[in-house]
Structures are given as structure tokens and as C-alpha cells.
Amino acid sequence: STVLLFSSILLMLKNNLNNEINESFTSMIIMSALLLKSGAAPFHFWFPNMMEGLTWMNALMLMTWQKIAPLMLISYLNIKYLLLISVILSVVIGAIGGLNQTSLRKLMAFSSINHLGWMLSSLMISESIWLIYFFFYSFLSFVLTFMFNIFKLFHLNQLFSWFVNSKILKFTLFMNFLSLGGLPPFLGFLPKWLVIQQLTLCNQYFLLTLMMMSTLITLFFYLRICYSAFMMNYFENNWIMKMNMISNNTNMYLIMTFFSIFGLFMISLFYFMF
């Protein structure tokens, strides 16, 4: 915050100092501070560790609400080469960093860094696409964190042994994982589809290839989790503990999951009808 305020003051005083201050350098410092605030790579080091110590609702705010102001200010600066470097590093680090994680909060943190790379790339081409991407990402993150918060889930091994007596909840939970990863035909694929289309029209093929490869890596560890939960013989307790399920919360989660899984079908249907 100090760097951001100091560089902003330098930029305001530029005209009074007979142009002795390099405006592009000052703008680059401002943008670096904003990338640090949003948690984008290579300024991401604080983000996973901070997520690990938060409750799920606070973690959701850090992943979604706290990114709005920095990203809006970044859209006004729009320094192409710095944005491009941050996009490439964010998608790569967000994908590789989540491979060996067993903590759900750190997994969501690295997933957020990867999605932030997609959001920054959409900022380079269209602010409306960024808003659409941010809305869908916030919705899918809310669905997952809402479920984690209900059952107090913080580690991967809890996912395998917790839903022994409720296969529907386990199935919907992992489908939401795949939707957040952007696997078609789930709702999470729609914003990625829009960004891919716009980057193709702008001839950004190298950047698009890196982003799609990183998404395949994130889908790999999501699919690995789902495969382990459904296809392999994992440890189950010989006793079944009663889960304290609040019916209203569970119904709300299932409704949101329905939109997460079948949202793309519904949007496509409305598009062709109207």
C-alpha cells in the first residue's frame, strides 16, 4: 500500500518536476503494487500462506471480493508487457503449485492464482469479458467454499472418508471441482471459452497455448482427486458418524450445483431459443 501511494504521488507531481520522473516507470511500480494486492504471480507468495490461516468465508472474500478494486485499477493502466508476464507466470505457477497440495485452502489459493491469470488476459482484450469471467469464477468458488464451510472440510483426506453415507453430495462436490477447472460441458467452461475466442481473434496464439496447457494441468489434479474418490478402494470407517446436515443449506447447495453442472446447457438453450 505504501508503494502504491508513493508512486501515485510521484505520478501526480510529474508535471511540477519538469518531467524529471519517468511516467512509464512510475506506472509500472503502481501496477506491480496492484498485482501484489490481487495476489498475481510473481507477487503471489503471501497468498497461499494467508489462505491457509483463514476461515472459508474469509478465504472466499480474499479470492473474490478483494480482487475487484486492484483489477479495476489495473484495467486503467493496462501496461501490456507487464500484464503479459504476470499472465504467463500466474497460469503456470497456479497450475504447478496445486499439484502436491493436500490442503483444500492452498489448493483453492493456487486455483485462484491460475484463474487470475485468465482474468488478467481478459483485461487485455475486453473489460466486459473480464466481468463475465469474474462473475462465473465468484459463483463457482462460492459453491465450493459454501460446501466446505458447512462440513468444515480443510484437507483432501476428509473428502474421501466424510461422505460415506451420501454419495449424491460427494458426486456433486467433485462435479463442482471439475466445473471450477473449466472442463466442458460444465458452467466453468463458458468464461474460458469466451477468453479463448477473443484471444484467437487477437492472434495471441502463444499466450493461448500456455494458458490452455496450464488449465490441463489443473484439470489433471482435479481429475486425480475425483478418480481416487470414485474409482479406487480407499479407507472407509466401519462405523457411520451422523453428519449434522442443515436441510436449508443442503438444498441451497444442490440448487447452486445444478446451475454449475447444467448452466452451460441452459445458457445455450436460451441462446438458440431467443
Side-chain angles (χ1 to χ4, degrees):
S1 298
T2 305
V3 173
L4 179 62
L5 292 172
F6 180 71
S7 54
S8 300
I9 292 170
L10 283 180
L11 196 61
M12 289 176 62
L13 295 176
K14 174 180 176 295
N15 295 327
N16 299 328
L17 296 176
N18 298 322
N19 294 327
E20 293 180 4
I21 300 174
N22 191 339
E23 184 176 355
S24 62
F25 179 72
T26 311
S27 300
M28 188 176 69
I29 297 175
I30 294 175
M31 193 163 181
S32 300
L34 292 172
L35 290 172
L36 175 63
K37 276 184 168 293
S38 62
F43 312 104
H44 67 285
F45 299 101
W46 64 274
F47 190 62
N49 295 325
M50 181 66 70
M51 282 276 291
E52 186 65 24
L54 296 177
T55 63
W56 275 119
M57 288 299 104
N58 290 334
L60 177 65
M61 289 187 65
L62 192 64
M63 288 189 295
T64 56
W65 186 261
Q66 295 295 326
K67 292 189 186 326
I68 296 177
L71 288 175
M72 288 183 68
L73 292 174
I74 287 171
S75 68
Y76 289 110
L77 292 172
N78 203 3
I79 303 174
K80 294 285 186 182
Y81 64 91
L82 190 57
L83 261 183
L84 189 63
I85 293 171
S86 182
V87 167
I88 293 173
L89 290 176
S90 294
V91 295
V92 172
I93 291 173
I96 296 175
L99 281 174
N100 295 323
Q101 297 300 327
T102 58
S103 170
L104 288 174
R105 284 174 292 192
K106 280 194 175 181
L107 191 68
M108 293 293 289
F110 282 107
S111 175
S112 179
I113 294 170
N114 182 267
H115 281 282
L116 188 58
W118 282 81
M119 282 186 264
L120 290 173
S121 67
S122 63
L123 267 180
M124 293 192 300
I125 50 180
S126 174
E127 288 185 13
S128 59
I129 294 179
W130 166 68
L131 288 173
I132 293 170
Y133 196 107
F134 183 80
F135 171 76
F136 282 108
Y137 167 70
S138 300
F139 172 74
L140 295 172
S141 297
F142 176 73
V143 175
L144 276 173
T145 53
F146 183 76
M147 185 65 169
F148 294 153
N149 188 55
I150 291 176
F151 296 105
K152 307 302 178 190
L153 302 173
F154 298 104
H155 299 280
L156 283 180
N157 56 358
Q158 291 177 278
L159 297 180
F160 298 154
S161 59
W162 192 252
F163 300 106
V164 175
N165 60 341
S166 181
K167 301 300 182 185
I168 294 177
L169 284 178
K170 176 178 280 191
F171 178 79
T172 55
L173 177 65
F174 289 115
M175 290 302 103
N176 283 319
F177 259 121
L178 297 179
S179 183
L180 183 66
L183 183 72
F186 301 123
L187 185 63
F189 175 64
L190 179 61
K192 281 187 167 59
W193 190 2
L194 295 175
V195 175
I196 289 170
Q197 185 179 14
Q198 290 300 317
L199 286 176
T200 305
L201 293 175
C202 296
N203 297 321
Q204 298 284 346
Y205 297 113
F206 174 74
L207 177 62
L208 182 58
T209 304
L210 281 176
M211 291 168 63
M212 291 176 67
M213 288 174 64
S214 70
T215 304
L216 289 176
I217 297 174
T218 58
L219 278 173
F220 165 72
F221 61 74
Y222 285 147
L223 282 169
R224 185 177 61 182
I225 296 168
C226 299
Y227 180 82
S228 301
F230 285 117
M231 301 297 179
M232 297 176 67
N233 291 323
Y234 57 89
F235 173 76
E236 289 189 3
N237 293 327
N238 292 328
W239 61 91
I240 297 177
M241 298 177 65
K242 250 190 169 180
M243 291 190 296
N244 295 321
M245 294 173 58
I246 304 171
S247 58
N248 291 335
N249 287 341
T250 308
N251 292 335
M252 181 180 175
Y253 167 74
L254 291 175
I255 291 171
M256 292 187 296
T257 299
F258 175 80
F259 288 109
S260 173
I261 296 175
F262 299 106
L264 186 58
F265 292 108
M266 296 169 63
I267 292 173
S268 302
L269 183 63
F270 289 144
Y271 177 80
F272 288 115
M273 287 178 62
F274 301 104

